[in-house]
Amino acid sequence: MQTRKMLACLLALVMVLIACTPVLAEEEDAVLAVINGENVLQSQVDEFANQIISYYSQYGYDLSSEDNQSLVRQMAMESYIQKVFTTQESARLGLDQLTDEESQALSDTIESVYEGLIDQAMTAFGLTPAEDASEEDKAAARDSAIEQLNAVGYTREFIERNETEGLLSEKLVAKLTENVSITDDEIIAAFTERAEADREQYENDIEAYEIQTAYYGQESYYVPEGLRGVKHILLRVDDTLMKTYQDLVARFEEQQEEALNASEETATTETEQAETTEAPETTEEPEEPVTQEQIDAAKEAIIASVQDKITDIQKKLSEGVSFADLIEEYGEDPGMTTEPNKTNGYTVSANSLIYDPIFVQAAFSVDNVGDVSEPVVSSFGVHLVEYTRDVPYGTVDLTDEIRAAIEEDLRADKEQAIVNEAYTAWEAASEIQYTEAGEAYRPEPVENADDAQPIAEEAD
């Protein structure tokens, strides 16, 4: 299973892999161990080791030290042992006897994966032929891509073996876990536990809730009090007007910061003044300070540039046209046209850290649901913001969607526990003998997971 999952990640990173796949050993193909009478060859385990090295290298980890190489060898041996157990147990249960339908599906998958690798290799190395290229040139490009893949071990035979082993692993897991069931009581208990954990985390920290849910997309089963749902009509403005306004604001804020820093400096003593040499004269003219009046004028210019639209919107609102209809007619924020924002609006807190402060101020500038703010200017343009709803707070309802997600999580946990127990039982019942060459690959037992040595330090 690990090999199959790892390959899925590697397919999307073929350029990195081809560039950095090292080989642990190119020596004689020694027997490292014998598992239930089956020889384990160094080339077989090193294939796993090279995949591990490639996987970590793409994230900037340096595995070149001997300590890390030792860990890689042990991890590779553990993975290979699991593969042997899977293969042997699958054969014992007859799962390696594929139906015609399974054989066809496997063949289709192998073809799809291999052709996908070739396409990615051609893209990575600039081998993709032009649309009007001759059939001969297309064939040559394909052959070159295959050579690159073969050079790092991604042969068609490797894909066939990997996909076959993956299928057997899936069938074995399905067999082991076929009787797993999740009760309604288990779902409710898990939901209650998660909701209580979220309440403890967010009840008094609405900003953390907003960041974790709106910014990181994390699921929460508890909603703190004080959130508003707001919708807005965004009117884009002329780039030159916006740049002028933003430059003035930036310079004004810089001036304020410089003034604050200057006021905090310690006064120079008379002695220090006496020892200070006269500074050379400079002909550089100081930059004209920005005033609040200039910023206000730039903001008014932006508002004026879309005033006709603002007037139309406000007139239609007074005539009873819904804000939702006006979003469709005037709005230029794509986020307002997709669910759930289209129905519920954006969820905003008064001290939001993820939305523009101007937008937040507008959202909380009105008191009643259905009220619309005056036009405000942010870095995105001009906004008219509607106070759409008060977001219900407390533990969320246990919807069918949440129920299904929790059931899936609980099932995955149970299945993983069953698979882990099976591997432990197979290992205990197996005869594993390491050769002298295999001692460097023998996994060291870890009694406590917290004591496990990290794979590597991240590269600078």
Side-chain angles (χ1 to χ4, degrees), residues 92-225:
R92 187 185 72 79
L93 295 173
L95 301 177
D96 57 341
Q97 303 303 308
L98 304 183
T99 65
D100 291 343
E101 184 179 350
E102 288 174 332
S103 295
Q104 184 59 55
L106 176 60
S107 177
D108 292 344
T109 299
I110 291 169
E111 187 70 18
S112 175
V113 170
Y114 190 58
E115 289 301 320
L117 272 174
I118 293 173
D119 289 343
Q120 291 180 64
M122 285 199 289
T123 299
F125 289 94
L127 300 171
T128 304
E131 291 185 6
D132 58 351
S134 66
E135 292 302 318
E136 183 179 351
D137 288 342
K138 291 178 181 179
R142 178 184 173 86
D143 290 342
S144 296
I146 291 174
E147 287 179 9
Q148 297 287 354
L149 293 172
N150 290 344
V152 292
Y154 284 85
T155 63
R156 186 181 184 88
E157 290 73 21
F158 170 81
I159 302 303
E160 290 175 351
R161 186 173 70 252
N162 188 79
E163 291 300 322
T164 302
E165 291 169 353
L167 175 59
L168 294 182
S169 176
E170 289 175 359
K171 292 181 67 176
L172 179 59
V173 170
K175 181 68 174 178
L176 292 171
T177 61
E178 61 185 353
N179 295 321
V180 169
S181 62
I182 307 299
T183 68
D184 197 56
D185 287 344
E186 289 175 316
I187 294 174
I188 293 174
F191 172 75
T192 302
E193 181 180 354
R194 295 182 185 189
E196 178 58 22
D198 288 340
R199 184 194 66 77
E200 292 179 359
Q201 182 176 3
Y202 300 129
E203 185 175 26
N204 298 309
D205 195 347
I206 194 171
E207 288 79 18
Y209 169 85
E210 192 176 28
I211 290 173
Q212 293 300 320
T213 58
Y215 190 78
Y216 291 110
Q218 188 178 90
E219 183 73 55
S220 178
Y221 300 108
Y222 178 87
V223 179
E225 185 177 5

Side-chain angles (χ1 to χ4, degrees), residues 62 177 263 288 373 406:
D62 180 7
T177 61
S263 67
E288 189 72 23
S373 73
I406 292 177

Side-chain angles (χ1 to χ4, degrees), residues 201-320:
Q201 182 176 3
Y202 300 129
E203 185 175 26
N204 298 309
D205 195 347
I206 194 171
E207 288 79 18
Y209 169 85
E210 192 176 28
I211 290 173
Q212 293 300 320
T213 58
Y215 190 78
Y216 291 110
Q218 188 178 90
E219 183 73 55
S220 178
Y221 300 108
Y222 178 87
V223 179
E225 185 177 5
L227 290 163
R228 283 187 177 184
V230 299
K231 297 181 181 180
H232 77 128
I233 297 172
L234 172 63
L235 304 175
R236 303 286 185 182
V237 299
D238 178 75
D239 289 343
T240 301
L241 288 175
M242 180 56 70
K243 187 176 187 308
T244 298
Y245 171 68
Q246 290 177 325
D247 287 348
L248 289 170
V249 170
R251 286 168 54 195
F252 186 73
E253 291 175 349
E254 184 179 344
Q255 288 172 192
Q256 290 181 312
E257 184 177 352
E258 290 175 353
L260 179 62
N261 291 338
S263 67
E264 293 176 349
E265 292 180 356
T266 305
T268 307
T269 63
E270 292 182 3
T271 302
E272 289 172 335
Q273 290 176 349
E275 293 175 352
T276 301
T277 58
E278 186 176 348
E281 293 185 3
T282 176
T283 58
E284 186 178 339
E285 290 291 333
E287 187 176 31
E288 189 72 23
V290 173
T291 65
Q292 185 62 53
E293 288 74 16
Q294 289 175 300
I295 294 176
D296 292 341
K299 185 187 300 184
E300 289 172 4
I302 288 176
I303 295 288
S305 71
V306 291
Q307 185 59 59
D308 288 346
K309 289 183 179 180
I310 294 172
T311 301
D312 288 344
I313 292 169
Q314 292 175 331
K315 181 176 182 295
K316 290 179 180 180
L317 283 172
S318 68
E319 293 171 349

